[in-house]
Amino acid sequence: MERANSFGIGMIGIIFAVIPSLNAVIFTDFLHYLPIIILIGALGIILGGYIGSKLFKWGPYLDIPVALMAMVGFPGGYLLCEEVSCTVGRTLEEQEYLLKAI
């Protein structure tokens, strides 16, 4: 679609197809399905992180948490990494090493 310069038109078509179907969704339905959406998303990210750890030859204990940070986002993810490195690291050098590794 990018070669044919029709990506924008395709996105507009998808938006016009999806937005009218959202009129039928009420807030209570959204709240009802939110835990299911989060659970399926987390399981998918964990599976993707595990597959990524095999492809990039990382340890799964490092790659799966990196993938799960996608759910938290930048500020929260950085704060969690900083807290873990401060909690686990005994010296300042070890804390800095852990933070850079994470």
Side-chain angles (χ1 to χ4, degrees):
M1 289 182 77
E2 287 183 13
R3 285 187 195 169
N5 289 330
S6 61
F7 186 77
I9 293 171
M11 290 301 290
I12 290 171
I14 290 172
I15 289 172
F16 281 131
V18 169
I19 295 294
S21 67
L22 293 177
N23 286 336
V25 177
I26 57 176
F27 190 67
T28 56
D29 288 342
F30 174 73
L31 289 179
H32 175 71
Y33 288 114
L34 186 62
I36 298 168
I37 292 169
I38 291 174
L39 180 68
I40 291 173
L43 290 175
I45 288 175
I46 290 170
L47 179 65
Y50 184 75
I51 292 170
S53 71
K54 295 300 179 188
L55 289 175
F56 296 113
K57 296 179 175 58
W58 284 9
Y61 293 119
L62 181 62
D63 202 38
I64 292 172
V66 168
L68 284 173
M69 278 300 149
M71 290 181 68
V72 178
F74 166 67
Y78 181 76
L79 292 173
L80 285 172
C81 293
E82 189 175 39
E83 186 66 30
V84 166
S85 67
C86 288
T87 303
V88 174
R90 293 184 189 105
T91 64
L92 186 60
E93 293 82 22
E94 195 174 271
Q95 291 173 4
E96 290 176 7
Y97 174 79
L98 287 171
L99 184 60
K100 287 180 184 178
I102 296 175

